[in-house]
Amino acid sequence: VSGALSILLLFIATAVSLLFVQAVENDNATTANPVCNPLGYIVVLKDNVSTTPKAVSQEYESKGVNVTHIYESVLKGFNIKIPENLCNSILNGLKNDLRIAYFEPDNIVSIR
């Protein structure tokens, strides 16, 4: 009985570790090749940034994004659409840009 129980426990441990490895690989595949939101992204600058939203948006425009709107009253930021082939590098650039407070996918909102 002890030998059978050891084999069963070994089987369960192997199955769990394989599921864990597969989950990690799936998660890495998702982050490595993100799918760009076709509606674009809203990028919000930190409050203490002295650079204007227009200046920062022009930097990203020179990297190949399409700036569709600049926000300067309610918040400091801009809206961009990213070509699919630049998605990974632009999203990583936004994530690592110290001037940016946050960015999020743009969405259509409706009031009923």
Side-chain angles (χ1 to χ4, degrees):
V1 175
S2 162
L5 183 58
S6 295
I7 291 173
L8 178 61
L9 289 174
L10 180 62
F11 175 76
I12 291 171
T14 303
V16 168
S17 68
L18 287 174
L19 288 173
F20 177 76
V21 167
Q22 184 178 5
V24 169
E25 286 175 356
N26 287 343
D27 188 46
N28 287 341
T30 304
T31 26
N33 299 310
V35 175
C36 272
N37 180 11
L39 296 175
Y41 293 84
I42 298 172
V43 180
V44 179
L45 301 179
K46 292 178 181 176
D47 289 333
N48 62 350
V49 171
S50 60
T51 310
T52 66
K54 184 174 183 174
V56 178
S57 71
Q58 287 173 337
E59 288 178 33
Y60 281 92
E61 200 167 38
S62 72
K63 296 176 184 180
V65 304
N66 181 19
V67 177
T68 57
H69 192 79
I70 296 175
Y71 304 103
E72 293 182 296
S73 56
V74 175
L75 55 90
K76 287 174 37 175
F78 50 94
N79 186 289
I80 58 173
K81 289 191 177 183
I82 307 170
E84 198 66 41
N85 64 324
L86 299 176
C87 191
N88 192 31
S89 65
I90 296 296
L91 291 178
N92 281 331
L94 290 171
K95 189 178 3 174
N96 295 316
D97 192 328
L98 298 177
R99 301 168 296 180
I100 295 175
Y102 65 92
F103 63 96
E104 62 185 43
D106 201 355
N107 290 304
I108 297 174
V109 179
S110 63
I111 301 173
R112 296 183 189 252

